[in-house]
Amino acid sequence: MPIRIPNRLPARAQLEAEGVMVLNERTANRQDIRPMRIGLLNLMPNKIRTETQIARLIGATPLQVEMTLIRIGSHVSRNTEESHLIDFYRTFQEVKDEKFDGFIITGAPIEKLAFEDVTYWEELQEVFEWTRTNVHSLFNICWGAMAAAYHFHGVPKHELETKAFGVYRHRNLVPTSPYLAGFSDDFSIPVSRWTEMRAAEIKAAPGLELLMESDITGPCLISEEEGNRLYIFNHIEYDSTSLKEEYDRDIANGTPIDVPHNYYPADDPTMPPSNRWRSHAHLLFGNWINRMYQTTHYDLAEIGHAKED
């Protein structure tokens, strides 16, 4: 089954052009099936691009998936038209009485700020606590993953001297993990961040298991049995041109930035970059949804009331 998203969502046209199966609302309502319900708390400034990236990955599954777009109610977006937010997004306060099989919290370009200095930190903490009872499986990405690891375990983030920026080789540390089924022993993932979390501090936190790591950029993916949580510090969901757009933006703004590591052929920014992570992005999200489908309750109302096997 394909992904179910609003008929007028801008991501629909892009996904259909790529051959992703997108279900219209009328057809979805006719099917006698309970879709997997996934919420996307989108903290990224370019919300439409992030919607498309995530929808592309969760739509590549044989299950019917319903994606609900959610935003922080206490934060005013400066990069997305208010009409788009009104038409397609619900605030966290509007969905807090509902249950979700899966919930994704994205990154945000605020890495250098202390967590407590983020204007919506209190509301985000409320979201994290809410997921304990209203979400079967939580998937945190980049800054969202660091924020979650800090909230649930007190793991600190550390500022880097230079930005980790490019495409880096990563190692599969736990091939038997259900989240890494089908993964190669090593693989490439885009990285774009000014901060890091360190392996020793992650391993010292009870319940966290380090699944992926880079010799250069450090920990990448962590799993946790409690809350069926995943934490990924890098951007496996990125489009082929996402790093290029960040690089071009910084060059245009006069911001000092190195050419993204191992991204352009021969490190030549005039050449089109190659995507070497797409298949593993689909694997990771597909494995997450498969694991969620096998362990969630049929009755959404039961989420949070009993420990699943």
Side-chain angles (χ1 to χ4, degrees):
M1 297 292 175
I3 186 173
R4 176 180 176 179
I5 56 177
N7 291 340
R8 297 184 297 111
L9 190 71
R12 173 179 286 272
Q14 178 64 36
L15 295 173
E16 289 177 335
E18 295 175 8
V20 177
M21 294 183 65
V22 183
L23 198 64
N24 65 56
E25 293 172 333
R26 178 177 299 179
T27 301
N29 290 333
R30 287 203 309 264
Q31 294 185 338
D32 185 19
I33 187 173
R34 181 175 93 68
M36 300 296 293
R37 191 157 191 246
I38 297 178
L40 172 63
L41 181 62
N42 192 350
L43 304 176
M44 292 293 280
N46 189 331
K47 291 190 172 5
I48 293 175
R49 181 173 64 184
T50 303
E51 294 156 15
T52 305
Q53 291 170 345
I54 300 299
R56 176 187 296 122
L57 295 171
I58 66 176
T61 169
L63 305 172
Q64 185 186 131
V65 175
E66 176 185 294
M67 185 171 74
T68 300
L69 298 175
I70 302 164
R71 62 186 175 93
I72 290 288
S74 59
H75 178 68
V76 177
S77 176
R78 294 178 298 176
N79 297 279
T80 302
E81 292 289 340
E82 184 68 17
S83 60
H84 181 82
L85 299 177
I86 292 172
D87 286 346
F88 301 113
Y89 278 77
R90 300 168 70 192
T91 67
F92 168 65
Q93 298 302 321
E94 291 171 335
V95 303
K96 64 186 299 185
D97 293 330
E98 302 176 17
K99 301 289 183 79
F100 293 85
D101 298 296
F103 202 80
I104 300 169
I105 299 178
T106 72
I110 48 177
E111 295 174 71
K112 291 187 177 182
L113 285 177
F115 292 118
E116 292 83 0
D117 291 340
V118 175
T119 57
Y120 51 82
W121 179 244
E122 288 188 7
E123 186 172 353
L124 187 57
Q125 286 185 300
E126 184 183 354
V127 174
F128 286 138
E129 286 303 301
W130 167 84
T131 64
R132 294 182 188 271
T133 55
N134 288 61
V135 171
H136 175 68
S137 183
L138 176 63
F139 196 155
N140 308 284
I141 299 174
C142 200
W143 181 85
M146 293 186 181
Y150 179 72
H151 174 82
F152 290 118
H153 297 281
V155 179
K157 63 183 173 71
H158 303 273
E159 190 167 332
L160 298 169
E161 291 185 7
T162 58
K163 185 178 183 179
F165 188 48
V167 180
Y168 294 86
R169 302 297 302 181
H170 287 72
R171 289 179 287 115
N172 180 346
L173 302 179
V174 189
T176 57
S177 169
Y179 298 112
L180 297 183
F183 266 69
S184 306
D185 293 334
D186 69 354
F187 38 85
S188 296
I189 297 178
V191 180
S192 179
R193 50 181 165 81
W194 283 98
T195 54
E196 67 176 358
M197 285 192 160
R198 295 173 179 168
E201 293 168 335
I202 290 169
K203 292 174 182 177
L208 296 183
E209 182 176 24
L210 184 57
L211 303 182
M212 293 180 188
E213 189 173 33
S214 166
D215 291 335
I216 299 174
T217 59
C220 174
L221 181 69
I222 302 167
S223 68
E224 181 179 13
E225 184 176 354
E226 181 179 347
N228 301 294
R229 299 185 191 118
L230 279 181
Y231 309 73
I232 188 166
F233 302 130
N234 301 328
H235 285 290
I236 200 170
E237 83 284 0
Y238 263 9
D239 295 322
S240 302
T241 59
S242 295
L243 293 178
K244 170 179 167 53
E245 291 164 10
E246 293 181 17
Y247 177 71
D248 290 347
R249 176 201 63 204
D250 287 347
I251 292 295
N253 292 339
T255 303
I257 187 71
D258 292 331
V259 173
H261 172 82
N262 196 33
Y263 177 57
Y264 294 106
D267 291 329
D268 182 354
T270 66
M271 299 182 69
S274 298
N275 189 311
R276 298 189 300 281
W277 60 90
R278 184 184 297 113
S279 58
H280 284 94
H282 281 280
L283 266 178
L284 179 60
F285 276 79
N287 288 342
W288 174 60
I289 292 173
N290 183 47
R291 176 69 175 170
M292 182 166 54
Y293 174 75
Q294 292 183 42
T295 58
T296 193
H297 290 282
Y298 180 79
D299 184 354
L300 275 170
E302 291 298 313
I303 290 175
H305 290 292
K307 184 176 175 62
E308 295 81 12
D309 294 332

